[in-house]
Amino acid sequence: MDEHWKHVRSILTPTFTSGKLKLMFPVIKNCADKLVSHLKSTNSEPVDIKDYTAGYTMDVIASTVFGLDVDSQSKTDHPFVEHASTLLGASKKPKGFFAICKQICLIIMLFTFPTSLRVVLANFFGLSFTDQESMKYFNNVIDRLVKERKQNPDSENSKDFVSQCSKKVVDLSQVPKEKVFMSSSGFQWTTEGLTREDFVANSTIFFGAGYETTATALQFFFYNMAVHPNIQQKVGGAS
């Protein structure tokens, strides 16, 4: 098992204790209240429920990870929503010919080239599975949030993931060389804490791991409640 992975996991795991997760409950409830409000405003008209569950999930991730209130259920044109959608491949903007060719090249590299060669070629040609403009946006957002949290660690937004981990981020240029290592993927890391790249990667991975999965699970839940009204009544009575 990669030592870099184990190191990052050992730092991030305490962030997900039951006590810290409970602190996020009011934030998640606020997002759920907005979802209920939006659903009530439809006046029982047929809707594409995935649009609502996706907006709710985006709001939860934005608030619990970044401490941002983007209200994507109402403001679908928010820059955060647009760039997150691009990273997830859910953007409605059409891809150009060269963008498609780059993706094809990446897929070929992924399955045919060894890791060390993939890293060299990807860096040389500027190839990446993620949209560079969107990654630049999230890099800037995270840098700004980390700076704000360090200046005001006791703010009301101190419960989010960025706040919990920002104090563990270190500058590699300030770390002794003997404590800087190279991972099997070709990235530098240190036992002194999280590098900026570690931090950005683990902050944005919440989208890939939690967005589509949660939104689709909620979509399936609402579908089952709609086709099984007797179960819906039981669930409503239990709540």
Side-chain angles (χ1 to χ4, degrees):
M1 188 176 294
D2 189 273
E3 292 298 322
H4 177 217
W5 180 88
K6 289 196 291 186
H7 167 69
V8 172
R9 181 180 175 85
S10 68
I11 292 179
L12 297 182
T13 298
T15 308
F16 301 100
T17 61
S18 58
K20 290 180 179 177
L21 291 176
K22 285 178 181 178
L23 293 176
M24 297 181 182
F25 178 77
V27 178
I28 297 173
K29 184 180 181 301
N30 181 52
C31 296
D33 290 340
K34 291 180 181 179
L35 172 62
V36 172
S37 177
H38 287 299
L39 288 174
K40 285 182 177 179
S41 67
T42 64
N43 296 318
S44 300
E45 292 292 325
V47 296
D48 185 348
I49 195 65
K50 182 63 176 294
D51 291 339
Y52 290 85
T53 59
Y56 163 76
T57 306
M58 182 73 74
D59 283 350
V60 170
I61 293 175
S63 56
T64 58
V65 178
F66 300 94
L68 300 174
D69 182 12
V70 300
D71 192 14
S72 62
Q73 299 180 60
S74 301
K75 306 170 186 175
T76 56
D77 60 344
H78 193 286
F80 186 95
V81 178
E82 291 182 355
H83 287 291
S85 298
T86 300
L87 283 181
L88 294 164
S91 175
K92 296 181 180 179
K93 295 180 181 178
K95 289 186 177 181
F97 174 76
F98 289 105
I100 295 174
C101 288
K102 284 177 66 176
Q103 292 298 310
I104 294 174
C105 291
L106 279 167
I107 293 172
I108 293 174
M109 287 170 54
L110 180 64
F111 290 104
T112 58
F113 294 170
T115 302
S116 56
L117 183 57
R118 287 204 306 266
V119 173
V120 172
L121 290 176
N123 290 335
F124 182 79
F125 291 106
L127 298 175
S128 173
F129 276 112
T130 57
D131 182 85
Q132 294 305 298
E133 183 181 348
S134 295
M135 280 307 302
K136 182 179 179 180
Y137 170 82
F138 280 105
N139 270 291
N140 291 335
V141 167
I142 291 172
D143 285 343
R144 175 173 59 82
L145 292 175
V146 169
K147 184 178 180 180
E148 289 177 358
R149 300 301 192 271
K150 286 185 175 180
Q151 291 176 345
N152 189 12
D154 297 323
S155 69
E156 60 180 9
N157 290 325
S158 60
K159 304 179 183 68
D160 56 75
F161 176 81
V162 169
S163 297
Q164 297 288 336
C165 297
S166 59
K167 63 189 74 173
K168 301 169 185 174
V169 179
V170 297
D171 183 352
L172 275 179
S173 63
Q174 305 298 321
V175 177
K177 290 184 178 181
E178 62 271 15
K179 293 187 178 181
V180 177
F181 306 94
M182 188 72 70
S183 70
S184 59
S185 301
F187 297 101
Q188 288 186 315
W189 64 282
T190 175
T191 53
E192 296 295 287
L194 292 174
T195 65
R196 181 181 176 280
E197 288 72 21
D198 288 333
F199 189 51
V200 172
N202 281 279
S203 297
T204 55
I205 203 172
F206 280 96
F207 290 113
Y211 177 75
E212 187 64 31
T213 50
T214 304
T216 302
L218 287 171
Q219 178 187 23
F220 187 61
F221 167 78
F222 280 115
Y223 168 77
N224 276 286
M225 291 299 99
V227 297
H228 298 290
N230 57 318
I231 303 298
Q232 184 182 156
Q233 290 177 358
K234 290 182 179 179
V235 172
S239 61

